[in-house]
């Protein structure tokens, strides 16, 4: 009798496991519906200039939509063509960034303005699949989104194929089948006027420069936020810029930017210290922090960010400085 029950349980477990594998295999490519924002690229030169400024500066598209071999140039603040190819090796598999120059065959030439706008506002790809939360521009203003897409259309097309079917491992497929879903709710709060106030700083930190996405602790499997805003410590890979690969067995941590007297990284930095730090650029080779693009930000924007960081609730959260032992 006991043996029969055990066999029954075993059979059920095997069936459940097989069912799970089948479910994941058939569902990881599931697609979602999200509306196409009514954003239209413009040929207005001021808008195009704003879009280029965002792409190579605060919104740092150039930090990811390039190949690893171009990474050092971006970190020096140079304008590198956005032809993609950066391989993000995550615990759930490898994702390669696509070519976002307007090439018809391998880039975004064939995507409509609505499709590009939807990818950035909802995290839904042109083919309907959910985009892992790498580009939290969901609440960027219509004006800035229009500027970015207007600029993307003016780039020189580059023929560079990048795989858009990512190399997910089984865990990645399970995450795609069960967890991943579109992000933005489409309700974009009115954006504050661009000036040196904390309100504009918050807009940049949360919606444009992704400071919040990196400096808030996250579950690296699902991307879910698991700690208070801007309190770190988020673990990242370190890049070997000479060979263009990820250094095994090392990681680096995004620090706590809340004004906690003991553990806040910038609690005793003055406005001038903060500006000076951004003008210096990368100090730790291989850091994921986009120092190159951010070094192109204006004093006004950096002061706005500094002011906003002062308004955060202090959170005690230790983050080690420099390159650390162990994978992220
Ligand atoms: C932190 C890295 C990162 C940054 C910054 C980033 N991207 Fe991406 N982007 C990605 C990755 C990764 C993908 C691939 C997502 C996928 O296929 O699931 C992607 C995909 C895209 C796509 C393709 C969507 C589709 O429908 O196939 C577009 C367009 C795009 N990004 C535009 C931008 C623009 C414009 C910016 C700057 C405003 C930007 N990205 C900033 C990482 C980034
Ligand atoms: C892609 C992830 C990422 C993004 C985006 C990001 N950071 Fe960081 N940041 C890091 C990491 C990792 C470090 C630690 C390594 C270093 O100092 O380069 C860091 C370090 C810092 C430091 C401390 C520098 C020092 O010398 O100790 C400050 C200040 C900072 N970030 C501010 C910001 C602000 C402000 C933004 C948005 C404008 C931002 N970060 C966006 C990952 C990120």
């Amino acid at each position: 009798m006991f043996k029969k029950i055990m066999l029954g349980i075993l059979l059920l477990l095997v069936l459940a496991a097989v069912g799970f594998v089948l479910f994941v295999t058939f569902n990881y490519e599931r697609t979602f519906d999200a509306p196409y924002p009514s954003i239209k690229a413009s040929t207005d030169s001021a808008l195009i200039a704003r879009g280029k400024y965002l792409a190579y500066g605060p919104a740092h598209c150039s930090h990811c939509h390039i190949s690893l071999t171009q990474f050092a140039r971006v970190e020096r603040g140079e304008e590198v063509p956005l032809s993609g190819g950066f391989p993000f090796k995550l615990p759930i598999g490898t994702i390669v960034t696509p070519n976002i120059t307007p090439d018809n065959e391998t880039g975004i030439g064939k995507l409509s303005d609505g499709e590009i706008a939807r990818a950035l506002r909802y995290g839904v790809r042109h083919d309907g699949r959910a985009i892992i939360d790498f580009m939290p521009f969901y609440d960027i203003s219509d004006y800035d989104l229009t500027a970015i897409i207007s600029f993307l259309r003016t780039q020189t097309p580059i023929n560079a194929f990048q795989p858009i079917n990512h190399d997910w491992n089984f865990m990645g497929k399970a995450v795609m089948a069960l967890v991943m879903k579109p992000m933005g709710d489409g309700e974009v709060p009115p954006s504050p006027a661009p000036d040196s106030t904390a309100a504009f700083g918050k807009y940049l930190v949360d919606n444009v420069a992704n400071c919040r996405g990196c400096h808030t602790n996250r579950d690296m499997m699902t991307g879910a936020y698991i700690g208070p805003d801007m309190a770190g410590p988020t673990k990242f890979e370190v890049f070997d810029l000479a060979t263009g690969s990820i250094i095994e067995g090392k990681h680096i941590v995004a620090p706590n930017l809340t004004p906690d007297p003991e553990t806040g990284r910038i609690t005793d930095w003055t406005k001038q210290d903060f500006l000076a730090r951004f003008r210096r650029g990368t100090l730790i080779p291989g850091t994921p922090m986009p120092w190159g693009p951010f070094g192109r930000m204006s004093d006004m924007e950096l002061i706005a960010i500094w002011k906003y960081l002062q308004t955060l609730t202090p959170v005690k959260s230790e983050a080690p400085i420099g390159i650390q032992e162990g994978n992220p």
Side-chain angles (χ1 to χ4, degrees):
M1 180 66 183
F2 186 64
K3 218 168 149 189
K4 260 193 189 156
I5 292 174
M6 285 308 281
L7 269 176
I9 291 174
L10 199 69
L11 191 69
L12 277 178
L13 284 177
V14 169
L15 279 177
V18 170
F20 183 65
V21 170
L22 285 176
F23 177 82
V24 166
T25 308
F26 286 110
N27 283 283
Y28 80 96
E29 292 178 316
R30 70 190 163 140
T31 57
F32 296 89
D33 284 326
Y36 295 103
S38 54
I39 300 274
K40 283 264 155 291
S42 151
T43 52
D44 178 86
S45 58
L47 259 179
I48 292 169
R50 168 90 186 143
K52 183 174 188 182
Y53 172 71
L54 288 166
Y56 285 101
H60 63 281
C61 321
S62 57
H63 196 66
C64 294
H65 287 279
I66 48 137
S67 66
L68 264 169
T69 52
Q70 302 285 1
F71 194 73
R73 290 183 57 200
V74 171
E75 281 310 277
R76 290 197 296 270
E78 291 178 32
E79 284 167 14
V80 169
L82 303 178
S83 52
F86 197 100
F88 283 100
K89 286 188 195 166
L90 307 172
I92 54 175
T94 301
I95 310 181
V96 177
T97 56
N99 175 0
I100 57 168
T101 72
D103 181 55
N104 279 331
E105 194 194 352
T106 64
I108 54 164
K110 281 207 186 108
L111 303 195
S112 67
D113 294 342
E115 283 171 326
I116 300 172
R118 186 178 76 160
L120 296 173
R121 184 146 286 168
Y122 292 96
V124 174
R125 260 169 37 155
H126 65 281
D127 60 5
R129 294 193 216 174
I131 296 178
I132 191 161
D133 191 23
F134 264 99
M135 300 186 288
F137 303 113
Y138 316 117
D139 287 342
I140 202 167
S141 68
D142 280 358
Y143 182 82
D144 283 346
L145 191 52
T146 307
I148 289 171
I149 297 175
S150 305
F151 158 67
L152 291 179
R153 296 295 188 208
T154 66
Q155 300 168 99
T156 307
I158 292 178
N159 191 281
F161 173 77
Q162 312 297 358
I164 63 161
N165 286 322
H166 304 304
D167 189 11
W168 302 120
N169 56 30
F170 182 73
M171 202 141 63
K173 288 181 180 169
V175 167
M176 292 307 287
L178 296 161
V179 186
M180 283 299 301
K181 54 177 181 11
M183 297 294 296
D185 58 10
E187 306 220 341
V188 180
S191 52
D195 55 24
S196 62
T197 58
F200 188 60
K202 179 176 169 55
Y203 171 70
L204 292 172
V205 164
D206 290 355
N207 305 330
V208 180
N210 195 19
C211 322
R212 177 170 177 259
C214 283
H215 284 272
T216 305
N217 207 4
R218 308 181 71 164
D219 180 338
M220 284 299 150
M221 216 62 93
T222 64
Y225 289 94
I226 52 172
D229 263 19
M230 303 301 287
T234 336
K235 291 182 177 179
F236 289 93
E237 292 82 1
V238 185
F239 297 103
D240 177 348
L241 298 177
T243 60
S245 57
I246 285 159
I247 302 176
E248 276 299 319
K250 305 274 180 204
H251 71 272
I252 192 162
V253 180
N256 178 1
L257 299 182
T258 73
D260 179 56
E262 274 168 62
T263 61
R265 177 72 180 129
I266 61 164
T267 306
D268 55 5
W269 292 16
T270 62
K271 194 177 7 179
Q272 278 67 32
D273 293 338
F274 191 75
L275 282 173
R277 177 67 196 88
F278 277 81
R279 297 293 169 236
R280 281 186 76 182
T282 304
L283 295 181
I284 305 171
T287 176
M289 164 88 185
W291 290 111
F294 289 165
R296 299 165 67 99
M297 279 201 263
S298 69
D299 281 5
M300 187 265 283
E301 286 173 330
L302 289 169
I303 291 170
I305 291 175
W306 181 82
K307 282 191 192 155
Y308 169 61
L309 297 176
Q310 307 299 308
T311 70
L312 292 171
T313 311
V315 175
K316 205 172 155 72
S317 166
E318 211 75 62
I321 299 172
I323 293 177
Q324 309 295 314
E325 292 303 318
N327 284 324

